[in-house]
C-alpha cells in the first residue's frame, strides 16, 4: 500500500500479517513504500527508499477504529432503548450534531438590539461620497456589533441619533474640512490550492453543490474521464488536507501562466502555502488538475455540466494560486465639522484595483462581502467640502446564522474534528438519521436531533466534547 497516512499504514501491516500467516514471506524482507505525490520522480524515489511499517501509525489507526466501535456500538443501542429505534451515535457525528444544536440554542436565546449609525453625505457633484461617523464628542463611535466582544452602542435609539445629527450639522455650518488624507497600497495574495474541505466550501458557495455531490463529482474526475487521449484522471486525489503541490506540477503551472497570461502575472518565486487545518496529516498533494494544460473549455464536450463546473473551479484555483497578488490603491480621508472640529470625525475609505494579478483568473468566494472598488475624489488636507446632509440610519443586531454545509465543514476542520474523507458522510448521516434538515441551504436540527444531542451531552459529555474528539 502506498497511502502515507494511518489507514495506508494499517493496510500494509495487515497485508504483511496475512501473507506471513500463509507462509508466503519465508526468507523474504518486507518493506513499505510511501510517496506523497503521484509523479514519476516521487514514485521512483520512494521505491529506492523503502522502509518498515510504522507500528506507531498502525496503533494510532487501531485506537481510533476501536474508539469508533466503542462509541458507536455502545451508545447507539442505548439510544434505541431510551429514545427511539434506528438512532445512532458516533465519535465525529455526535459532536457535529452538538454544533448544530448549540447554534440553534444561540439563535433562540438571541435578543435583538436597536442601534444607529451616522453618515455624512458630502463632496461636489458628480463626485459625491459618504463618510461614516467614527468619533463623537471626543469618544470613539461604536456602531458595529461584535458577537465575541459585545459593546454598548454609542447611539441606541432615534433620540440619541437625532441629537448627534443636529449637533454635528450645527458644528459643520454646511461644510466639512479635510483633516487628514492617508494613501497606502494593499496586496492580496491568492488562495492556496484546494483541500477537501475548501473544495466543498467553495463549490457550495459558487456552484450550489452539496458536500456529498461535490465528492461524487470529484471522485469521477479522479477515476477517469474518456477524452481523445484515452480515459484519464483529470484531478489528483480529492481527500486531502494538504495545500502543497508537486514540484513538477508547479513548474508546469508557472510555465503555462507565462504562455497564457504573460510574464507580468508570474511571481519571481513559486508561491508556497501552509495548511491552517488543525491536526492536518498532509498525506497527499492539494487538489489540482493532473495536467494544467487540459483547459476546461477544451474538455467541455466530454464532461457533464457538473463535472465541467467542478473541474473549472479546480483548474482556475490552481492557476491562480501561482500568480501574482492583486494590488489595490487604498485611500482614507478624515473629515471634521468646519466650525467646531472637536464635535466629531467622519472617515471615508476607498480602494481601486490597480493590478489584478490572480483575480484575472479566479477570486475566492467568501461568506462575507468581498472586495469592491470604491473610488473617492482627489482631496487635500485642509480642503473644505460641502455637507449635503448628516444621515442617521437604524439597525438591529441579528442572531448568528445557522450552519450551512460549507460553514459546518469549515467549523469541523478548524476544531480538528473528522478527516477529509468523512466530512460529506457526516452531513449525510445527520440528514439521513433525521437529526437535521435543510432549510434552503441552512442546516437546522430537528426536534429528534435536539433530544439525542441533549441526552448525549448530559450523560456522555466526554464523548461529544470537541477537544476529546479532535485528540482522537
Amino acid at each position: 500500500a502506498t497511502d502515507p497516512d494511518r489507514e495506508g499504514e494499517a493496510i500494509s501491516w495487515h497485508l504483511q500479517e496475512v501473507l506471513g500467516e500463509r507462509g508466503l514471506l519465508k526468507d523474504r524482507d518486507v518493506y513499505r513504500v510511501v510517496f506523497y505525490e503521484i509523479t514519476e520522480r516521487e514514485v521512483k524515489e520512494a521505491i529506492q527508499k523503502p522502509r518498515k511499517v510504522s507500528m506507531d501509525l498502525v496503533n494510532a489507526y487501531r485506537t481510533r477504529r476501536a474508539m469508533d466501535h466503542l462509541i458507536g456500538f455502545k451508545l447507539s443501542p442505548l439510544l434505541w432503548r431510551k429514545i427511539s429505534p434506528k438512532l445512532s451515535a458516533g465519535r465525529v457525528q455526535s459532536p457535529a450534531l452538538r454544533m448544530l444544536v448549540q447554534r440553534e440554542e444561540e439563535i433562540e436565546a438571541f435578543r435583538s438590539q436597536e442601534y444607529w449609525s451616522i453618515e455624512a453625505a458630502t463632496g461636489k457633484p458628480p463626485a459625491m461620497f459618504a463618510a461614516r461617523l467614527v468619533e463623537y464628542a471626543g469618544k470613539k463611535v461604536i456602531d458595529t456589533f461584535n458577537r465575541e466582544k459585545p459593546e454598548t452602542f454609542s447611539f441606541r435609539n432615534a433620540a440619541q441619533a437625532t441629537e448627534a445629527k443636529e449637533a454635528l450639522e450645527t458644528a459643520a455650518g454646511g461644510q466639512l474640512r479635510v483633516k487628514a488624507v492617508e494613501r497606502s497600497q494593499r496586496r492580496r495574495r491568492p488562495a492556496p490550492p484546494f483541500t477537501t474541505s475548501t473544495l466543498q466550501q467553495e463549490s457550495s458557495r459558487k456552484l450550489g453543490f452539496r458536500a456529498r455531490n461535490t465528492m461524487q463529482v470529484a471522485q469521477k474526475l479522479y477515476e477517469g474521464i474518456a477524452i481523445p487521449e484515452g480515459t484519464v484522471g483529470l484531478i489528483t486525489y480529492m481527500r486531502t488536507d494538504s495545500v502543497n503541490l508537486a514540484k513538477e506540477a508547479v513548474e508546469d503551472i508557472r510555465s503555462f501562466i507565462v504562455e497564457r497570461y504573460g510574464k507580468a502575472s508570474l511571481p519571481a518565486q513559486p508561491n508556497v502555502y501552509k495548511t491552517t487545518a488543525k491536526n492536518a496529516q498532509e498525506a497527499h498533494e492539494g487538489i489540482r488538475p493532473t495536467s494544467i494544460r487540459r483547459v476546461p473549455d477544451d474538455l467541455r464536450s466530454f464532461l457533464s455540466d457538473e463535472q465541467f463546473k467542478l473541474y473549472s473551479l479546480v483548474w482556475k484555483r490552481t492557476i491562480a494560486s501561482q500568480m501574482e497578488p492583486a494590488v489595490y490603491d487604498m485611500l482614507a480621508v478624515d473629515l471634521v465639522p468646519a466650525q467646531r472640529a472637536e464635535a466629531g470625525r467622519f472617515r471615508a475609505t476607498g480602494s481601486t484595483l490597480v493590478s489584478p494579478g490572480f483575480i484575472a483568473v479566479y477570486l475566492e468566494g467568501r461568506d462575507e462581502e468581498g472586495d469592491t472598488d470604491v473610488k473617492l475624489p482627489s482631496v487635500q488636507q485642509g480642503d473644505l467640502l460641502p455637507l449635503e446632509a448628516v444621515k442617521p440610519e437604524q439597525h438591529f443586531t441579528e442572531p448568528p446564522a445557522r450552519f450551512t454545509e460549507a460553514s459546518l465543514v469549515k467549523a469541523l476542520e478548524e476544531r480538528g474534528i473528522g478527516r477529509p474523507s468523512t466530512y460529506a458522510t457526516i452531513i449525510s448521516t445527520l440528514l439521513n438519521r433525521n437529526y437535521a434538515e435543510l432549510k434552503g441551504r441552512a442546516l437546522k436540527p430537528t426536534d429528534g436531533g435536539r433530544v439525542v444531542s441533549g441526552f448525549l451531552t448530559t450523560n456522555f459529555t466526554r464523548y461529544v466534547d470537541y477537544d476529546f474528539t479532535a485528540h482522537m
Side-chain angles (χ1 to χ4, degrees):
T2 56
D3 248 4
D5 54 19
R6 290 175 293 198
E7 286 81 355
E9 206 76 25
I11 291 170
S12 298
W13 170 78
H14 184 65
L15 287 172
Q16 183 176 327
E17 292 289 297
V18 170
L19 293 172
E21 289 171 0
R22 296 183 180 180
L24 300 176
L25 297 180
K26 293 180 179 179
D27 302 322
R28 294 185 181 181
D29 292 325
V30 178
Y31 297 95
R32 171 158 157 71
V33 172
V34 173
F35 49 86
Y36 294 84
E37 303 166 4
I38 306 177
T39 63
E40 182 178 355
R41 176 185 60 80
E42 184 77 6
V43 172
K44 285 182 176 178
E45 284 186 10
I47 292 173
Q48 291 169 3
K49 299 176 182 177
R51 63 166 173 79
K52 295 290 185 179
V53 170
S54 168
M55 289 309 298
D56 286 343
L57 287 176
V58 172
N59 289 331
Y61 168 81
R62 295 168 74 184
T63 300
R64 194 174 69 175
R65 187 174 177 84
M67 288 301 302
D68 286 342
H69 288 169
L70 285 170
I71 293 174
F73 292 169
K74 293 292 185 181
L75 294 186
S76 295
L78 184 61
L79 293 176
W80 304 344
R81 294 197 302 271
K82 295 293 184 180
I83 301 177
S84 178
K86 298 183 179 180
L87 299 179
S88 67
R91 180 178 57 84
V92 177
Q93 166 197 319
S94 297
L97 174 59
R98 183 186 175 197
M99 281 187 181
L100 296 184
V101 172
Q102 283 188 329
R103 178 60 58 86
E104 196 67 21
E105 289 172 347
E106 290 173 14
I107 293 171
E108 291 172 352
F110 184 84
R111 296 295 177 265
S112 185
Q113 291 178 263
E114 178 186 6
Y115 69 101
W116 292 70
S117 63
I118 297 177
E119 284 189 345
T122 186
K124 300 176 182 178
M128 300 291 292
F129 63 96
R132 196 176 190 93
L133 183 67
V134 294
E135 190 176 295
Y136 177 66
K139 294 182 180 180
K140 179 182 177 181
V141 171
I142 301 171
D143 62 0
T144 302
F145 181 48
N146 185 335
R147 211 175 302 280
E148 300 300 321
K149 297 179 180 178
E151 302 282 358
T152 301
F153 293 108
S154 299
F155 310 112
R156 298 188 297 277
N157 52 54
Q160 292 176 346
T162 301
E163 180 183 347
K165 162 188 160 68
E166 293 172 351
L168 289 164
E169 287 179 336
T170 300
Q175 290 183 312
L176 296 177
R177 186 183 303 278
V178 178
K179 181 180 180 180
V181 178
E182 298 175 10
R183 290 183 171 84
S184 61
Q185 201 168 72
R186 182 171 71 88
R187 295 165 67 83
R188 178 176 174 181
R189 290 193 75 202
F194 280 128
T195 63
T196 302
S197 72
T198 55
L199 178 63
Q200 291 175 0
Q201 292 169 50
E202 192 74 337
S203 63
S204 174
R205 293 189 196 102
K206 289 199 167 186
L207 307 179
F209 286 7
R210 301 244 335 255
R212 188 177 185 85
N213 188 27
T214 296
M215 297 309 292
Q216 289 172 340
V217 177
Q219 181 76 38
K220 185 59 181 174
L221 292 173
Y222 168 71
E223 290 176 350
I225 300 291
I227 60 177
E229 60 190 277
T231 299
V232 176
L234 296 181
I235 65 172
T236 56
Y237 193 56
M238 64 287 164
R239 294 182 178 89
T240 177
D241 47 24
S242 173
V243 290
N244 298 316
L245 298 182
K247 182 180 178 182
E248 291 144 317
V250 171
E251 290 172 353
D252 195 33
I253 292 165
R254 285 172 59 81
S255 174
F256 185 81
I257 289 170
V258 173
E259 295 170 16
R260 192 176 181 92
Y261 302 102
K263 196 170 183 179
S265 298
L266 187 73
Q269 299 295 326
N271 292 330
V272 178
Y273 301 92
K274 292 184 179 180
T275 184
T276 58
K278 189 176 180 181
N279 296 337
Q281 294 181 21
E282 303 191 78
H284 304 277
E285 285 185 82
I287 303 169
R288 64 169 174 85
T290 50
S291 172
I292 205 66
R293 297 177 184 279
R294 295 193 184 103
V295 180
D297 286 342
D298 295 342
L299 301 177
R300 185 159 202 158
S301 60
F302 308 103
L303 303 173
S304 70
D305 187 53
E306 287 185 335
Q307 290 169 351
F308 174 76
K309 288 178 179 178
L310 194 64
Y311 180 71
S312 297
L313 201 65
V314 173
W315 188 88
K316 290 177 181 178
R317 173 90 161 214
T318 305
I319 285 280
S321 73
Q322 289 301 320
M323 293 181 73
E324 281 278 9
V327 180
Y328 293 85
D329 277 346
M330 310 296 294
L331 178 64
V333 179
D334 283 348
L335 305 152
V336 295
Q339 294 184 3
R340 278 199 306 114
E342 70 276 9
R345 177 168 60 91
F346 296 89
R347 168 161 279 217
T349 58
S351 65
T352 304
L353 181 64
V354 294
S355 177
F358 74 92
I359 290 178
V361 177
Y362 174 89
L363 181 61
E364 182 187 19
R366 293 187 173 185
D367 292 325
E368 69 276 3
E369 290 296 317
D371 289 321
T372 55
D373 270 11
V374 178
K375 296 182 180 180
L376 297 179
S378 178
V379 294
Q380 302 296 325
Q381 185 175 350
D383 285 356
L384 289 173
L385 300 176
L387 174 63
E388 180 183 296
V390 175
K391 300 178 178 179
E393 183 177 355
Q394 185 184 40
H395 309 273
F396 293 93
T397 57
E398 296 183 353
R402 288 190 178 111
F403 284 107
T404 62
E405 291 193 22
S407 60
L408 181 60
V409 167
K410 183 178 181 180
L412 291 170
E413 183 184 46
E414 287 174 346
R415 290 185 177 271
I417 298 173
R419 299 289 306 130
S421 58
T422 63
Y423 296 137
T425 303
I426 292 166
I427 294 171
S428 294
T429 300
L430 294 176
L431 293 169
N432 293 338
R433 297 286 184 189
N434 199 32
Y435 289 163
E437 58 186 348
L438 282 170
K439 294 291 186 179
R441 295 173 66 178
L443 290 163
K444 180 184 178 183
T446 61
D447 291 341
R450 297 180 71 158
V451 169
V452 169
S453 182
F455 177 79
L456 294 174
T457 302
T458 301
N459 299 287
F460 300 95
T461 307
R462 184 182 184 189
Y463 299 120
V464 293
D465 179 76
Y466 302 134
D467 290 336
F468 171 79
T469 304
H471 290 157
M472 284 295 103

